[in-house]
Amino acid sequence: MRITDMVVTPVACPDPPLLNHHGVHEPWFLRVIVRLRTDNGLEGVGEGPGGGLYVQQVKAAGKHVLGADPYQLEALRVLIGRPSVFSTIEVACLDLIGKATGRPVYDLLGGAARRRVPFSAYLFYKEAGEDEWGHRATSE
């Protein structure tokens, strides 16, 4: 299996103020979606941080990705160099490997550690009437 195509798509998603675990921020968050296609018709998807410079770095890594075997992650890591750029492409490769083997990606990473994970990244609470975005959450 060889990677024959890499599509890099920057996205900007609306993110009203105080709905993000990073605190005060712009009303948009930027991400990049990477789709890798292989010579046997599979497609793997990865996602990473966005922004113009990062998107250009991901696109530049394409010279190492096209023609590569998605199983050879260590070689790609060394060639790409930038850990954040590699991680976005690595997720797409793991998605390809999972689809090729019929296994979920968590199996490729050592297996599921638990069935459920309680999680909340929301660190800020805002009462109704504080601004035009309205009520978001309470500590309760």
Side-chain angles (χ1 to χ4, degrees), residues 11-28:
V11 295
C13 299
D15 190 16
L18 297 179
L19 281 181
N20 186 303
H21 69 284
H22 292 302
V24 179
H25 54 81
E26 299 297 324
W28 301 91

Side-chain angles (χ1 to χ4, degrees), residues 120-131:
S120 174
Y122 195 80
L123 299 178
F124 304 96
Y125 301 98
K126 185 167 67 86
E127 300 298 329
E130 289 185 28
D131 63 29

Side-chain angles (χ1 to χ4, degrees), residues 25-131:
H25 54 81
E26 299 297 324
W28 301 91
F29 69 89
L30 305 176
R31 305 301 286 172
V32 63
I33 307 298
V34 173
R35 291 185 345 213
L36 302 179
R37 295 186 183 113
T38 65
D39 54 2
N40 61 347
L42 294 177
E43 180 174 285
V45 179
E47 178 231 356
L53 177 60
Y54 187 77
V55 169
Q56 292 307 313
Q57 291 170 341
V58 171
K59 287 181 178 180
K63 67 184 175 198
H64 303 300
V65 175
L66 295 178
D69 177 346
Y71 285 90
Q72 302 304 313
L73 290 171
E74 182 61 13
L76 276 176
R77 184 191 67 77
V78 170
L79 288 169
I80 291 170
R82 296 180 176 275
S84 63
V85 172
F86 170 69
S87 68
T88 300
I89 294 166
E90 178 186 33
V91 170
C93 287
L94 289 169
D95 191 28
L96 284 171
I97 295 166
K99 288 173 178 171
T101 60
R103 304 298 298 258
V105 171
Y106 63 78
D107 276 351
L108 305 176
L109 299 175
R114 59 189 64 85
R115 292 186 189 273
R116 296 179 68 197
V117 179
F119 176 75
S120 174
Y122 195 80
L123 299 178
F124 304 96
Y125 301 98
K126 185 167 67 86
E127 300 298 329
E130 289 185 28
D131 63 29

